[in-house]
Amino acid sequence: MSEDSQATFIKKLVRFALSCEYARLPIRRDGIKEKVFGRHSGRNFKPVYEGAQKVLRERFGMMMEELPLKEKVSLRDRRAAAQRGQNTTKGSSSYILVSILRKDMRVPEIIAPSLAPTTKDEASYIGLYTFIITCISLCGGTLSNEKLLRNLRRLNAEENTPLDTTENLLAKMQRQGYVVKIKDSTGQDEAVNWMVGPRGKIEVGDHGVRGLVKEVYGETAPEDLKSRLAVSLGARQE
């Protein structure tokens, strides 16, 4: 591959990554092969990927980070994975863009909500999925549907939100990978639980949960809040 053609592929990958992130779609390896390489698919991926990462870091203050695989938590999923002999250490081959700006630069004045559809709607959506991810994370990583609705009821959002119906909004969060809805049947009963999705783990994660809780408490935060959060989050460290 010549330097000119490699530079062209790097530009195409950067544009593809930015367009995927704008729509909150994962940057899939298959999509890169199709949209970036086309008939040259499968050749020289590594130098193009590394070149695109360099451009994203230096010009946009971002980088591509691989998403974790979805957890196999239901009995059906675990059995299917066992039958296929699925390797749980294998990567997802899907990425999202994450900010690499310093913490002191990650403020609304620098990183404002997107203008699409409006800044207010985008900020509301970010707040809602961060709240839901926080509720799930503080309950040990799994939250029943009943408890989720109970928490949303406190916001007067168990049925509708300012953006859409709660049902539609949760479906959107599932599609975008913020949350995962787990249905598990035991006999005649069906348990419905929620877990944090791959995008939620990377984009919000424990650091986002801690940030939201500290913001809610503000100056009234108890002295042992940090240790309480450590216990609730399984003593995971940032």
Side-chain angles (χ1 to χ4, degrees):
M1 181 187 297
S2 67
E3 290 187 6
D4 288 343
S5 60
Q6 181 170 308
T8 299
F9 286 133
I10 288 173
K11 290 178 182 178
K12 291 176 69 175
L13 178 50
V14 170
R15 287 197 295 267
F16 178 65
L18 291 171
S19 66
C20 286
E21 188 59 28
Y22 184 76
R24 284 192 170 96
L25 297 173
I27 307 161
R28 301 188 187 280
R29 184 75 173 261
D30 290 343
I32 294 173
K33 290 179 179 179
E34 177 185 352
K35 302 295 185 181
V36 176
F37 289 100
R39 61 187 179 87
H40 302 286
S41 177
R43 293 193 296 172
N44 300 298
F45 175 81
K46 186 176 180 180
V48 171
Y49 174 80
E50 292 176 348
Q53 288 280 58
K54 185 173 185 293
V55 173
L56 288 167
R57 285 194 298 266
E58 294 179 354
R59 297 186 184 178
F60 297 96
M62 296 185 287
M63 64 176 290
M64 286 183 280
E65 183 169 334
E66 189 170 17
L67 290 168
L69 287 168
K70 288 184 179 179
E71 296 180 55
K72 306 297 182 183
V73 292
S74 70
L75 183 59
R76 179 190 302 175
D77 287 343
R78 291 198 299 271
R79 285 175 175 172
Q83 290 175 356
R84 294 194 299 267
Q86 184 170 321
N87 182 3
T88 55
T89 62
K90 182 180 178 182
S92 65
S93 297
S94 296
Y95 311 84
I96 64 170
L97 292 181
V98 297
S99 173
I100 59 170
L101 294 177
R102 300 191 312 268
K103 284 187 177 181
D104 62 308
M105 299 179 69
R106 300 182 189 185
V107 293
E109 291 78 10
I110 296 176
I111 308 179
S114 171
L115 296 175
T118 68
T119 299
K120 181 180 178 181
D121 286 350
E122 179 69 1
S124 298
Y125 184 54
I126 292 172
L128 281 167
Y129 69 64
T130 302
F131 171 77
I132 290 172
I133 289 171
T134 298
C135 291
I136 296 171
S137 299
L138 294 179
C139 285
T142 304
L143 185 67
S144 70
N145 193 59
E146 292 77 11
K147 288 184 177 179
L148 173 62
L149 293 178
R150 190 186 309 156
N151 285 317
L152 289 173
R153 193 173 299 121
R154 293 172 179 172
L155 302 179
N156 196 28
E158 74 273 21
E159 294 183 0
N160 293 285
T161 75
L163 303 175
D164 202 343
T165 65
T166 302
E167 182 179 358
N168 288 344
L169 203 66
L170 286 171
K172 179 180 178 180
M173 292 179 189
Q174 289 181 75
R175 290 194 304 272
Q176 294 177 342
Y178 287 110
V179 295
V180 178
K181 188 177 185 179
I182 307 296
K183 294 182 180 179
D184 223 343
S185 298
T186 53
Q188 295 182 345
D189 298 324
E190 183 179 68
V192 178
N193 294 291
W194 294 87
M195 297 182 69
V196 181
R199 177 179 284 273
K201 291 178 181 178
I202 298 295
E203 189 176 310
V204 179
D206 290 352
H207 63 284
V209 172
R210 290 187 176 94
L212 177 61
V213 173
K214 291 176 182 176
E215 188 69 22
V216 170
Y217 272 104
E219 296 180 356
T220 65
E223 294 183 359
D224 62 344
L225 179 60
K226 185 175 180 180
S227 59
R228 288 188 189 183
L229 283 171
V231 172
S232 297
L233 295 172
R236 298 190 292 268
Q237 299 296 319
E238 289 183 292

